[in-house]
Amino acid sequence: MPIIVNQISSPLNASEQEVISAALKKLGSASKHAIDCEIHKSSLDARKRNDIHFVHSVFVTLDSADLEKKLCEKNTSLTYVERSVYKPVISTKKAEGKVVIAGFGPAGMFAGLALAEQGYRPIILERGSSMEKRTASVQKFWLTGELDTNCNVQFGEGGAGTFSDGKLTTRIKDPLCRYVLERFVDFGAPKEILTKAKPHIGTDNLRNIVTAIRKRIIELGGEVRFDTALTDLAIANGKVQTISAGDKNEKVSAVILAIGHSARDTFELLQCKNIFLEPKPFSVGARIEHKQAAVDESLYGDHAGNPLLPKGEYQLSWRDKNGRGVYTFCMCPGGTVVPSASESGGTVTNGMSEFARDGENANAAVVVAVTPDDFGHCPLDGVAFARSIEQKAYTLTGSYKGAGTTVGGFLDGKPEIAGTVSPTYALGCKATELRDVFPKFVTDMLEGGLQNFSRKMKCFGDKGAMLTAPETRTSSPVRITRNADMVSLSVENLYPCGEGAGYAGGIMSAAVDGLKAAMQIMARQAPCDK
Ligand code: FAD
């Protein structure tokens, strides 16, 4: 087992070897017992403009576990870690039928991969198309405004994050995160994601990785059925007995629901089947675009443009006197704002970047937290609230164009789109009064948030920055409630997981959640006979 040596500061141009040497120096005479060293994480400390530097932590494996433990007890800047954490327990209990997974986003993909690698041969249903066909559908929508409601930025191979920045940052502190990063690298992700404190893959890499994972699942005997939605569940004796998808009914031993936050018709199906659902808080707002150079200058001052510095990223938040929050979310340095609708007649925005993050603009969501007290306590009230905002925007612009305005135009109540930033939204923006799109409490919070952020970061004071709305698919408005064994409260072999079930937010946490659902199934039933 390695120990982690924390808090190794280095200049921007330090080599890997220099960082490792500094870590070994911290271990003093114990360093002669080191048999392996590797950078664990590197993050940028740009709090002081005259002292911008990296801070690293370094894995060091010693030749004696006892010595490692002893050192960690004495020195608080050292951490003792268990590195290998993915140890599924496999039951010997036979079950009739196969494991079916609905959804091939990060949750379904990692569940499917884990099950396939342990001999379960899962059947994966994905309502959208395979990557090549999906990419063509998305491009067509972005060019012409012709939306395929089953295959789009939310639906299709790889799930909602495929057309994204592929950020892998997460607030969960689960050791399985490391396993997920390692598997992404196995399937082609850049190795640097293992060591960056804020790793990202980029939409360009992610598309190839997702396809490689799918091919591996199929090689191992799993099935991936694209253009095939789960449309019905036959439940008897407290269990799902069969599922319907396409023109087939399938006898199942367990069902993993990894359907994402936009599967509104599937949420309705679950409600009809009396599966316990509850509304949950989420957030709504707009994407803000600045020039990336302005973001870099706000963060790095005179150092902006230094090629040793990463593209500037930020995260800002503010609460009003009642405790409601407005915050920036899912920042995409050097990225584009993307039309992300999945329902006819409703406009949705989001953001993505390529791995190089070399576009002219930076974008981030600026969103306001909303709760069932705002939109209603019935399970699908949050869905209805988000949909009404999406439909208002569509009606006001007359199309899937973004409901847009400069920040100044928004604050002054005179929407306009000629600012300092050219909007990147592929379908274009139409100048729109955002107060006609959102309820007043949302636009009041957006105003307050933008004013507060302008005091924290110079670029937020630019009245010519661009807002494109609405951003409504920030997280699931519904929770498919489950027990501690990850099983639905209503059906004993139904495993809701990932973002759509309300138990994850983002690619990494959805992947970890999917993996855990697969581990729960493995602990309860044996793999299929070969
Ligand atoms: P999803 O990825 O939503 O996958 C669910 C899948 O289920 C979909 O492919 C859908 O087609 C399918 N499905 C739905 N209903 C059915 C059904 N009835 N039958 C069969 N299949 C069904 N997160 C990050 O961490 N970093 C980012 O940089 C990032 N950027 C994003 C950019 C964009 C444009 C978007 C839209 C999202 C972004 N996210 C990002 C969020 C991230 O994509 C999600 O948190 C993550 O994909 C959730 O994973 P999931 O597997 O739970 O669900």
Side-chain angles (χ1 to χ4, degrees):
M1 302 295 170
I3 54 179
I4 298 177
V5 186
N6 296 298
Q7 294 297 327
I8 313 288
S9 298
S10 82
L12 296 178
N13 59 357
S15 68
E16 190 177 337
Q17 199 43 53
E18 284 166 329
V19 174
I20 287 173
S21 299
L24 288 173
K25 205 167 161 200
K26 270 199 159 185
L27 291 180
S29 60
S31 66
K32 60 177 182 287
H33 295 275
I35 50 174
D36 195 23
C37 301
E38 189 188 334
I39 293 186
H40 170 233
K41 289 281 169 224
S42 301
S43 57
L44 186 75
D45 184 343
R47 284 172 300 175
K48 290 190 192 138
R49 293 279 165 75
N50 57 359
D51 181 24
I52 297 180
H53 59 276
F54 284 115
V55 179
H56 312 267
S57 55
V58 176
F59 278 130
V60 179
T61 309
L62 302 181
D63 57 10
S64 151
D66 283 347
L67 179 59
E68 287 179 341
K69 277 189 194 147
K70 230 184 265 166
L71 281 173
C72 292
E73 277 161 18
K74 276 201 299 202
N75 188 335
T76 50
S77 72
L78 304 178
T79 319
Y80 187 73
V81 280
E82 287 215 18
R83 224 166 147 187
S84 174
V85 286
Y86 174 59
K87 292 180 201 134
V89 175
I90 315 277
S91 164
T92 51
K93 235 166 108 183
K94 293 278 169 211
E96 219 191 313
K98 282 200 168 179
V99 178
V100 167
I101 301 171
F104 197 60
M109 207 158 55
F110 273 81
L113 180 63
L115 286 163
E117 288 184 334
Q118 299 296 338
Y120 284 77
R121 291 183 287 152
I123 297 173
I124 302 174
L125 309 171
E126 170 49 60
R127 78 190 313 154
S129 305
S130 63
M131 194 61 71
E132 198 177 315
K133 218 168 135 198
R134 181 185 186 194
T135 305
S137 287
V138 168
Q139 295 293 354
K140 184 173 174 193
F141 175 53
W142 289 352
L143 277 174
T144 64
E146 274 177 60
L147 176 69
D148 178 338
T149 53
N150 274 314
C151 188
N152 44 59
V153 169
Q154 310 292 345
F155 299 153
E157 181 168 22
T162 305
F163 298 90
S164 83
D165 180 45
K167 270 178 289 299
L168 299 175
T169 38
T170 175
R171 272 176 292 175
I172 63 165
K173 295 249 179 297
D174 196 301
L176 284 172
C177 294
R178 172 79 191 184
Y179 171 80
V180 169
L181 289 175
E182 285 171 0
R183 295 318 306 265
F184 272 126
V185 171
D186 290 345
F187 287 96
K191 217 167 164 227
E192 65 161 55
I193 65 167
L194 297 175
T195 52
K196 290 258 155 101
K198 293 183 182 169
H200 80 283
I201 293 184
T203 180
D204 40 348
N205 288 318
L206 199 51
R207 292 182 211 176
N208 297 330
I209 293 164
V210 164
T211 311
I213 294 179
R214 178 242 299 172
K215 287 185 178 155
R216 181 79 184 127
I217 293 172
I218 294 171
E219 267 166 28
L220 291 166
E223 253 185 81
V224 184
R225 296 184 195 158
F226 291 113
D227 305 302
T228 307
L230 167 78
T231 50
D232 204 0
L233 303 163
I235 301 169
N237 304 323
K239 281 181 148 191
V240 184
Q241 305 290 339
T242 54
I243 58 97
S244 307
D247 54 4
K248 286 192 183 147
N249 296 327
E250 206 80 51
K251 190 159 180 54
V252 297
S253 59
V255 178
I256 295 183
L257 273 181
I259 52 178
H261 53 36
S262 293
R264 294 169 171 178
D265 53 353
T266 315
F267 293 143
E268 280 168 21
L269 166 73
L270 299 175
Q271 194 179 37
C272 287
K273 297 283 164 183
N274 291 321
I275 288 168
F276 191 90
L277 306 176
E278 52 191 331
K280 68 172 264 306
F282 63 108
S283 302
V284 297
R287 278 268 147 184
I288 190 161
E289 272 187 287
H290 299 102
K291 288 222 178 348
Q292 181 66 48
V295 171
D296 291 349
E297 206 225 306
S298 301
L299 293 170
Y300 302 143
D302 293 344
H303 298 274
N306 180 339
L308 294 170
L309 286 169
K311 301 280 178 198
E313 276 177 85
Y314 59 79
Q315 207 171 353
L316 301 166
S317 61
W318 175 73
R319 277 182 197 281
D320 73 354
K321 59 181 186 320
N322 301 316
R324 192 190 292 276
V326 54
Y327 59 100
T328 66
F329 170 71
C330 189
M331 201 231 152
C332 299
T336 48
V337 180
V338 289
S340 306
S342 61
E343 276 189 340
S344 189
T347 306
V348 181
T349 65
N350 213 305
M352 74 171 197
S353 315
E354 305 235 317
F355 179 66
R357 290 179 162 176
D358 56 1
E360 192 184 354
N361 291 355
N363 70 72
V366 181
V367 286
V368 176
V370 295
T371 74
D373 285 345
D374 300 310
F375 52 71
H377 291 266
C378 294
L380 300 187
D381 282 353
V383 171
F385 176 77
R387 182 183 278 141
S388 76
I389 290 171
E390 294 161 12
Q391 291 180 345
K392 271 186 206 150
Y394 183 88
T395 307
L396 287 166
T397 64
S399 67
Y400 293 103
K401 279 185 174 192
T405 173
T406 59
V407 168
F410 168 61
L411 294 174
D412 299 342
K414 292 181 188 146
E416 49 154 5
I417 50 177
T420 49
V421 176
S422 308
T424 53
Y425 196 77
L427 288 166
C429 290
K430 186 167 174 201
T432 305
E433 172 53 88
L434 300 190
R435 289 168 193 82
D436 295 334
V437 175
F438 296 100
K440 185 171 178 315
F441 75 87
V442 172
T443 44
D444 285 353
M445 282 301 291
L446 286 175
E447 273 181 51
L450 289 168
Q451 278 154 2
N452 177 274
F453 301 161
S454 71
R455 294 192 282 278
K456 293 175 173 163
M457 260 184 89
K458 191 174 157 206
C459 59
F460 271 83
D462 176 9
K463 298 273 172 69
M466 183 69 200
L467 292 168
T468 307
E471 177 117 357
T472 46
R473 311 284 178 93
T474 48
S475 70
S476 188
V478 180
R479 176 164 294 121
I480 312 172
T481 317
R482 64 191 191 194
N483 67 19
D485 294 332
M486 301 183 75
V487 176
S488 153
L489 294 191
S490 317
V491 184
E492 69 181 69
N493 59 346
L494 184 68
Y495 295 78
C497 72
E499 180 129 24
Y503 290 96
I507 296 170
M508 174 57 85
S509 59
V512 166
D513 206 50
L515 191 54
K516 286 184 168 172
M519 287 163 80
Q520 289 287 342
I521 290 175
M522 292 180 210
R524 268 174 232 144
Q525 69 173 75
C528 329
D529 293 325
K530 294 268 170 198

